[in-house]
Amino acid sequence: MIQVLLLLSGGAIGTAFRYGISVWVQRFMDHPFPYGILSVNILGSLFIGFFWSLSEAFAFSPHTKIFLFTGFFGGFTTFSTFTLDTMNLMKSGDYKLALFNLLASNILGILAVFLGYILGKQAVNIIK
């Protein structure tokens, strides 16, 4: 039961952060390209990598991992919104932007996880 509560609370917090950041970025950029969702997915990937390395170094408990990785980051990053944004770009005829969104989200997301992991390892070395 505690695992479900951790998932729900982490997911709710992550979802609220996703909404707030994506809306803010999208308003700031003022462009039909979904910069808001792209930014939270890349930022989430960076943080996932960072906290992944911390979880290895500091042996996060299973409950902490459930709250952070499945709950918070699962609610913060979103593949479904990314795909919806891509489909909306295609539907409106913006095929180049749709392809850019597809490539940028995936390539930058993977790079961000690795960067976050490396930064986390460096942070662990400083802390220890």
Side-chain angles (χ1 to χ4, degrees), residues 13-118:
I13 294 167
T15 299
F17 272 85
R18 172 177 33 101
Y19 178 77
I21 292 171
S22 66
V23 167
W24 180 78
V25 168
Q26 198 62 43
R27 282 186 189 152
F28 179 77
M29 297 304 290
D30 192 31
H31 192 274
F33 184 78
Y35 285 109
I37 292 301
L38 176 63
S39 66
V40 295
N41 284 338
I42 302 309
L43 188 60
S45 296
L46 178 72
F47 286 150
I48 285 170
F50 184 81
F51 282 97
W52 173 22
S53 63
L54 293 183
S55 74
E56 289 180 347
F58 296 106
F60 285 10
S61 72
H63 286 143
T64 301
K65 288 179 183 179
I66 287 170
F67 174 83
L68 273 178
F69 295 108
T70 308
F72 181 82
F73 291 123
F76 184 69
T77 61
T78 174
F79 190 74
S80 58
T81 304
F82 150 69
T83 55
L84 178 63
D85 287 340
T86 303
M87 288 302 299
N88 281 331
L89 288 169
M90 289 171 48
K91 187 177 175 183
S92 66
D94 290 326
Y95 297 107
K96 288 180 183 177
L97 283 180
L99 180 62
F100 178 75
N101 192 39
L102 179 70
L103 294 173
S105 294
N106 286 286
I107 293 168
L108 293 175
I110 290 168
L111 290 174
V113 168
F114 283 120
L115 177 62
Y117 186 79
I118 291 166

